[in-house]
Amino acid sequence: MCQHQPQCPSAEYPDREAAHIVAHHPEQGWSLLCNGVLLFEDTGELLPDGQIIAPHRPFGTEHIVTAA
């Protein structure tokens, strides 16, 4: 699927999120990567084979609200 040189990582590789974006819809919260992965703004993913990857934000990045 990828036409880039060097070729982007395929959907099976751990670094699949490094592939180029071919469609970006921030108003809907998703992007399509050239390797066929749907990447969601919450860091969840849908792979071309239908496999779902749960959101995986790093620990400690939650927004903390304090009382004023």
Side-chain angles (χ1 to χ4, degrees), residues 36-67:
V37 172
L38 275 174
L39 179 63
F40 297 96
E41 69 179 16
D42 68 354
T43 69
E45 301 172 25
L46 179 60
L47 303 185
D49 66 0
Q51 182 180 358
I52 297 169
I53 306 297
H56 48 280
R57 288 191 174 136
F59 291 112
T61 60
E62 300 84 14
H63 180 70
I64 300 172
V65 178
T66 58

mmCIF file of all heavy atoms in Angstrom, residues 36-67:
data_model
loop_
_atom_site.group_PDB
_atom_site.id
_atom_site.type_symbol
_atom_site.label_atom_id
_atom_site.label_comp_id
_atom_site.label_asym_id
_atom_site.label_seq_id
_atom_site.Cartn_x
_atom_site.Cartn_y
_atom_site.Cartn_z
ATOM 1 N N GLY A 36 -2.577 1.559 6.096
ATOM 2 C CA GLY A 36 -3.936 1.067 6.303
ATOM 3 C C GLY A 36 -4.439 1.147 7.726
ATOM 4 O O GLY A 36 -5.567 0.747 8.016
ATOM 5 N N VAL A 37 -3.642 1.665 8.638
ATOM 6 C CA VAL A 37 -4.033 1.782 10.042
ATOM 7 C C VAL A 37 -4.895 3.027 10.236
ATOM 8 O O VAL A 37 -4.554 4.103 9.739
ATOM 9 C CB VAL A 37 -2.783 1.862 10.955
ATOM 10 C CG1 VAL A 37 -3.159 2.177 12.395
ATOM 11 C CG2 VAL A 37 -1.991 0.572 10.869
ATOM 12 N N LEU A 38 -6.016 2.863 10.941
ATOM 13 C CA LEU A 38 -6.801 4.010 11.385
ATOM 14 C C LEU A 38 -6.299 4.368 12.768
ATOM 15 O O LEU A 38 -6.332 3.539 13.683
ATOM 16 C CB LEU A 38 -8.288 3.662 11.467
ATOM 17 C CG LEU A 38 -9.074 3.784 10.193
ATOM 18 C CD1 LEU A 38 -10.495 3.262 10.392
ATOM 19 C CD2 LEU A 38 -9.117 5.212 9.697
ATOM 20 N N LEU A 39 -5.813 5.577 12.917
ATOM 21 C CA LEU A 39 -5.253 6.054 14.184
ATOM 22 C C LEU A 39 -6.219 7.071 14.773
ATOM 23 O O LEU A 39 -6.578 8.043 14.112
ATOM 24 C CB LEU A 39 -3.883 6.693 13.941
ATOM 25 C CG LEU A 39 -3.149 7.261 15.138
ATOM 26 C CD1 LEU A 39 -2.830 6.157 16.144
ATOM 27 C CD2 LEU A 39 -1.872 7.941 14.685
ATOM 28 N N PHE A 40 -6.670 6.827 15.997
ATOM 29 C CA PHE A 40 -7.635 7.702 16.657
ATOM 30 C C PHE A 40 -6.928 8.659 17.606
ATOM 31 O O PHE A 40 -5.856 8.361 18.122
ATOM 32 C CB PHE A 40 -8.673 6.862 17.402
ATOM 33 C CG PHE A 40 -9.483 6.005 16.468
ATOM 34 C CD1 PHE A 40 -9.134 4.690 16.243
ATOM 35 C CD2 PHE A 40 -10.561 6.529 15.787
ATOM 36 C CE1 PHE A 40 -9.851 3.896 15.365
ATOM 37 C CE2 PHE A 40 -11.291 5.753 14.906
ATOM 38 C CZ PHE A 40 -10.938 4.433 14.702
ATOM 39 N N GLU A 41 -7.550 9.818 17.846
ATOM 40 C CA GLU A 41 -6.913 10.848 18.675
ATOM 41 C C GLU A 41 -6.657 10.386 20.100
ATOM 42 O O GLU A 41 -5.804 10.934 20.778
ATOM 43 C CB GLU A 41 -7.718 12.147 18.656
ATOM 44 C CG GLU A 41 -9.033 12.070 19.363
ATOM 45 C CD GLU A 41 -9.794 13.381 19.339
ATOM 46 O OE1 GLU A 41 -9.463 14.262 18.530
ATOM 47 O OE2 GLU A 41 -10.718 13.509 20.134
ATOM 48 N N ASP A 42 -7.381 9.371 20.580
ATOM 49 C CA ASP A 42 -7.134 8.861 21.936
ATOM 50 C C ASP A 42 -5.996 7.840 21.950
ATOM 51 O O ASP A 42 -5.758 7.194 22.947
ATOM 52 C CB ASP A 42 -8.397 8.263 22.533
ATOM 53 C CG ASP A 42 -8.863 6.986 21.850
ATOM 54 O OD1 ASP A 42 -8.275 6.595 20.825
ATOM 55 O OD2 ASP A 42 -9.831 6.384 22.346
ATOM 56 N N THR A 43 -5.304 7.665 20.833
ATOM 57 C CA THR A 43 -4.182 6.759 20.573
ATOM 58 C C THR A 43 -4.622 5.316 20.349
ATOM 59 O O THR A 43 -3.774 4.444 20.235
ATOM 60 C CB THR A 43 -3.059 6.814 21.648
ATOM 61 O OG1 THR A 43 -3.533 6.255 22.864
ATOM 62 C CG2 THR A 43 -2.529 8.217 21.838
ATOM 63 N N GLY A 44 -5.910 5.064 20.248
ATOM 64 C CA GLY A 44 -6.383 3.745 19.853
ATOM 65 C C GLY A 44 -6.156 3.569 18.359
ATOM 66 O O GLY A 44 -5.963 4.535 17.620
ATOM 67 N N GLU A 45 -6.174 2.310 17.910
ATOM 68 C CA GLU A 45 -5.919 2.018 16.505
ATOM 69 C C GLU A 45 -6.833 0.906 16.021
ATOM 70 O O GLU A 45 -7.231 0.026 16.800
ATOM 71 C CB GLU A 45 -4.467 1.554 16.313
ATOM 72 C CG GLU A 45 -3.446 2.560 16.755
ATOM 73 C CD GLU A 45 -2.036 1.999 16.734
ATOM 74 O OE1 GLU A 45 -1.768 1.042 15.975
ATOM 75 O OE2 GLU A 45 -1.207 2.499 17.494
ATOM 76 N N LEU A 46 -7.148 0.939 14.746
ATOM 77 C CA LEU A 46 -7.836 -0.149 14.077
ATOM 78 C C LEU A 46 -6.936 -0.585 12.928
ATOM 79 O O LEU A 46 -6.626 0.212 12.039
ATOM 80 C CB LEU A 46 -9.199 0.301 13.544
ATOM 81 C CG LEU A 46 -10.023 -0.741 12.797
ATOM 82 C CD1 LEU A 46 -10.334 -1.928 13.704
ATOM 83 C CD2 LEU A 46 -11.301 -0.118 12.282
ATOM 84 N N LEU A 47 -6.480 -1.828 12.989
ATOM 85 C CA LEU A 47 -5.554 -2.338 11.988
ATOM 86 C C LEU A 47 -6.330 -2.847 10.768
ATOM 87 O O LEU A 47 -7.514 -3.164 10.868
ATOM 88 C CB LEU A 47 -4.696 -3.454 12.585
ATOM 89 C CG LEU A 47 -3.893 -3.095 13.836
ATOM 90 C CD1 LEU A 47 -2.989 -4.256 14.239
ATOM 91 C CD2 LEU A 47 -3.091 -1.830 13.645
ATOM 92 N N PRO A 48 -5.666 -2.947 9.619
ATOM 93 C CA PRO A 48 -6.341 -3.383 8.399
ATOM 94 C C PRO A 48 -7.016 -4.757 8.516
ATOM 95 O O PRO A 48 -8.004 -5.020 7.853
ATOM 96 C CB PRO A 48 -5.233 -3.423 7.350
ATOM 97 C CG PRO A 48 -4.175 -2.526 7.865
ATOM 98 C CD PRO A 48 -4.273 -2.589 9.355
ATOM 99 N N ASP A 49 -6.493 -5.626 9.371
ATOM 100 C CA ASP A 49 -7.080 -6.958 9.532
ATOM 101 C C ASP A 49 -8.257 -6.967 10.512
ATOM 102 O O ASP A 49 -8.802 -8.025 10.811
ATOM 103 C CB ASP A 49 -6.017 -7.970 9.961
ATOM 104 C CG ASP A 49 -5.440 -7.706 11.349
ATOM 105 O OD1 ASP A 49 -5.857 -6.733 12.023
ATOM 106 O OD2 ASP A 49 -4.556 -8.475 11.769
ATOM 107 N N GLY A 50 -8.634 -5.780 11.030
ATOM 108 C CA GLY A 50 -9.753 -5.679 11.962
ATOM 109 C C GLY A 50 -9.357 -5.722 13.421
ATOM 110 O O GLY A 50 -10.196 -5.541 14.311
ATOM 111 N N GLN A 51 -8.092 -5.965 13.704
ATOM 112 C CA GLN A 51 -7.614 -6.004 15.090
ATOM 113 C C GLN A 51 -7.714 -4.615 15.704
ATOM 114 O O GLN A 51 -7.394 -3.618 15.064
ATOM 115 C CB GLN A 51 -6.173 -6.495 15.138
ATOM 116 C CG GLN A 51 -5.614 -6.616 16.531
ATOM 117 C CD GLN A 51 -4.169 -7.100 16.527
ATOM 118 O OE1 GLN A 51 -3.579 -7.382 15.493
ATOM 119 N NE2 GLN A 51 -3.591 -7.186 17.706
ATOM 120 N N ILE A 52 -8.156 -4.573 16.959
ATOM 121 C CA ILE A 52 -8.289 -3.308 17.688
ATOM 122 C C ILE A 52 -7.134 -3.189 18.671
ATOM 123 O O ILE A 52 -6.854 -4.117 19.428
ATOM 124 C CB ILE A 52 -9.628 -3.259 18.449
ATOM 125 C CG1 ILE A 52 -10.783 -3.303 17.451
ATOM 126 C CG2 ILE A 52 -9.709 -2.016 19.334
ATOM 127 C CD1 ILE A 52 -12.131 -3.533 18.093
ATOM 128 N N ILE A 53 -6.469 -2.035 18.649
ATOM 129 C CA ILE A 53 -5.402 -1.735 19.608
ATOM 130 C C ILE A 53 -5.961 -0.687 20.559
ATOM 131 O O ILE A 53 -6.374 0.398 20.132
ATOM 132 C CB ILE A 53 -4.134 -1.190 18.906
ATOM 133 C CG1 ILE A 53 -3.664 -2.145 17.801
ATOM 134 C CG2 ILE A 53 -3.039 -0.899 19.919
ATOM 135 C CD1 ILE A 53 -3.235 -3.511 18.277
ATOM 136 N N ALA A 54 -6.017 -1.004 21.825
ATOM 137 C CA ALA A 54 -6.570 -0.093 22.826
ATOM 138 C C ALA A 54 -5.721 1.169 22.930
ATOM 139 O O ALA A 54 -4.516 1.142 22.640
ATOM 140 C CB ALA A 54 -6.636 -0.788 24.184
ATOM 141 N N PRO A 55 -6.337 2.282 23.345
ATOM 142 C CA PRO A 55 -5.558 3.511 23.563
ATOM 143 C C PRO A 55 -4.375 3.234 24.478
ATOM 144 O O PRO A 55 -4.474 2.455 25.427
ATOM 145 C CB PRO A 55 -6.558 4.454 24.218
ATOM 146 C CG PRO A 55 -7.886 3.974 23.738
ATOM 147 C CD PRO A 55 -7.745 2.476 23.648
ATOM 148 N N HIS A 56 -3.246 3.882 24.182
ATOM 149 C CA HIS A 56 -2.025 3.606 24.943
ATOM 150 C C HIS A 56 -1.232 4.878 25.232
ATOM 151 O O HIS A 56 -0.048 4.960 24.935
ATOM 152 C CB HIS A 56 -1.152 2.584 24.202
ATOM 153 C CG HIS A 56 -0.945 2.896 22.753
ATOM 154 N ND1 HIS A 56 -1.887 2.606 21.794
ATOM 155 C CD2 HIS A 56 0.069 3.485 22.102
ATOM 156 C CE1 HIS A 56 -1.438 2.988 20.619
ATOM 157 N NE2 HIS A 56 -0.245 3.544 20.780
ATOM 158 N N ARG A 57 -1.911 5.844 25.804
ATOM 159 C CA ARG A 57 -1.212 7.070 26.211
ATOM 160 C C ARG A 57 -0.240 6.736 27.328
ATOM 161 O O ARG A 57 -0.515 5.882 28.166
ATOM 162 C CB ARG A 57 -2.222 8.106 26.719
ATOM 163 C CG ARG A 57 -3.042 8.702 25.615
ATOM 164 C CD ARG A 57 -3.820 9.887 26.125
ATOM 165 N NE ARG A 57 -4.484 10.531 25.020
ATOM 166 C CZ ARG A 57 -5.737 10.948 25.037
ATOM 167 N NH1 ARG A 57 -6.455 10.824 26.129
ATOM 168 N NH2 ARG A 57 -6.260 11.516 23.996
ATOM 169 N N PRO A 58 0.887 7.412 27.362
ATOM 170 C CA PRO A 58 1.853 7.168 28.447
ATOM 171 C C PRO A 58 1.264 7.563 29.800
ATOM 172 O O PRO A 58 0.432 8.462 29.886
ATOM 173 C CB PRO A 58 3.029 8.073 28.097
ATOM 174 C CG PRO A 58 2.785 8.585 26.743
ATOM 175 C CD PRO A 58 1.354 8.390 26.407
ATOM 176 N N PHE A 59 1.681 6.859 30.834
ATOM 177 C CA PHE A 59 1.246 7.188 32.191
ATOM 178 C C PHE A 59 1.732 8.571 32.584
ATOM 179 O O PHE A 59 2.794 9.018 32.157
ATOM 180 C CB PHE A 59 1.776 6.162 33.188
ATOM 181 C CG PHE A 59 1.146 4.811 33.032
ATOM 182 C CD1 PHE A 59 1.893 3.752 32.578
ATOM 183 C CD2 PHE A 59 -0.193 4.619 33.320
ATOM 184 C CE1 PHE A 59 1.330 2.508 32.422
ATOM 185 C CE2 PHE A 59 -0.771 3.373 33.165
ATOM 186 C CZ PHE A 59 -0.007 2.314 32.713
ATOM 187 N N GLY A 60 0.951 9.273 33.391
ATOM 188 C CA GLY A 60 1.355 10.576 33.894
ATOM 189 C C GLY A 60 1.003 11.733 32.990
ATOM 190 O O GLY A 60 1.407 12.849 33.242
ATOM 191 N N THR A 61 0.257 11.487 31.920
ATOM 192 C CA THR A 61 -0.096 12.571 31.006
ATOM 193 C C THR A 61 -1.552 13.000 31.156
ATOM 194 O O THR A 61 -2.040 13.790 30.382
ATOM 195 C CB THR A 61 0.141 12.148 29.541
ATOM 196 O OG1 THR A 61 -0.683 11.004 29.246
ATOM 197 C CG2 THR A 61 1.597 11.835 29.287
ATOM 198 N N GLU A 62 -2.236 12.461 32.167
ATOM 199 C CA GLU A 62 -3.625 12.839 32.386
ATOM 200 C C GLU A 62 -3.699 14.305 32.795
ATOM 201 O O GLU A 62 -2.815 14.846 33.450
ATOM 202 C CB GLU A 62 -4.263 11.991 33.484
ATOM 203 C CG GLU A 62 -4.282 10.512 33.198
ATOM 204 C CD GLU A 62 -2.982 9.822 33.581
ATOM 205 O OE1 GLU A 62 -2.163 10.414 34.303
ATOM 206 O OE2 GLU A 62 -2.787 8.685 33.125
ATOM 207 N N HIS A 63 -4.773 14.949 32.393
ATOM 208 C CA HIS A 63 -4.982 16.348 32.765
ATOM 209 C C HIS A 63 -5.544 16.374 34.189
ATOM 210 O O HIS A 63 -6.528 15.730 34.483
ATOM 211 C CB HIS A 63 -5.974 17.009 31.805
ATOM 212 C CG HIS A 63 -6.242 18.440 32.126
ATOM 213 N ND1 HIS A 63 -5.298 19.412 31.938
ATOM 214 C CD2 HIS A 63 -7.328 19.043 32.640
ATOM 215 C CE1 HIS A 63 -5.799 20.566 32.323
ATOM 216 N NE2 HIS A 63 -7.032 20.366 32.737
ATOM 217 N N ILE A 64 -4.888 17.100 35.054
ATOM 218 C CA ILE A 64 -5.305 17.185 36.455
ATOM 219 C C ILE A 64 -5.943 18.548 36.691
ATOM 220 O O ILE A 64 -5.352 19.580 36.390
ATOM 221 C CB ILE A 64 -4.092 16.986 37.406
ATOM 222 C CG1 ILE A 64 -3.472 15.621 37.152
ATOM 223 C CG2 ILE A 64 -4.511 17.159 38.855
ATOM 224 C CD1 ILE A 64 -2.168 15.403 37.883
ATOM 225 N N VAL A 65 -7.154 18.521 37.216
ATOM 226 C CA VAL A 65 -7.882 19.748 37.521
ATOM 227 C C VAL A 65 -7.791 19.996 39.018
ATOM 228 O O VAL A 65 -8.044 19.104 39.819
ATOM 229 C CB VAL A 65 -9.366 19.631 37.102
ATOM 230 C CG1 VAL A 65 -10.114 20.886 37.462
ATOM 231 C CG2 VAL A 65 -9.471 19.324 35.613
ATOM 232 N N THR A 66 -7.383 21.206 39.378
ATOM 233 C CA THR A 66 -7.298 21.552 40.799
ATOM 234 C C THR A 66 -8.320 22.633 41.102
ATOM 235 O O THR A 66 -8.678 23.436 40.248
ATOM 236 C CB THR A 66 -5.904 22.067 41.159
ATOM 237 O OG1 THR A 66 -5.608 23.205 40.330
ATOM 238 C CG2 THR A 66 -4.857 20.989 40.926
ATOM 239 N N ALA A 67 -8.801 22.636 42.324
ATOM 240 C CA ALA A 67 -9.776 23.657 42.754
ATOM 241 C C ALA A 67 -9.071 24.988 42.925
ATOM 242 O O ALA A 67 -7.957 25.072 43.424
ATOM 243 C CB ALA A 67 -10.419 23.226 44.063
#
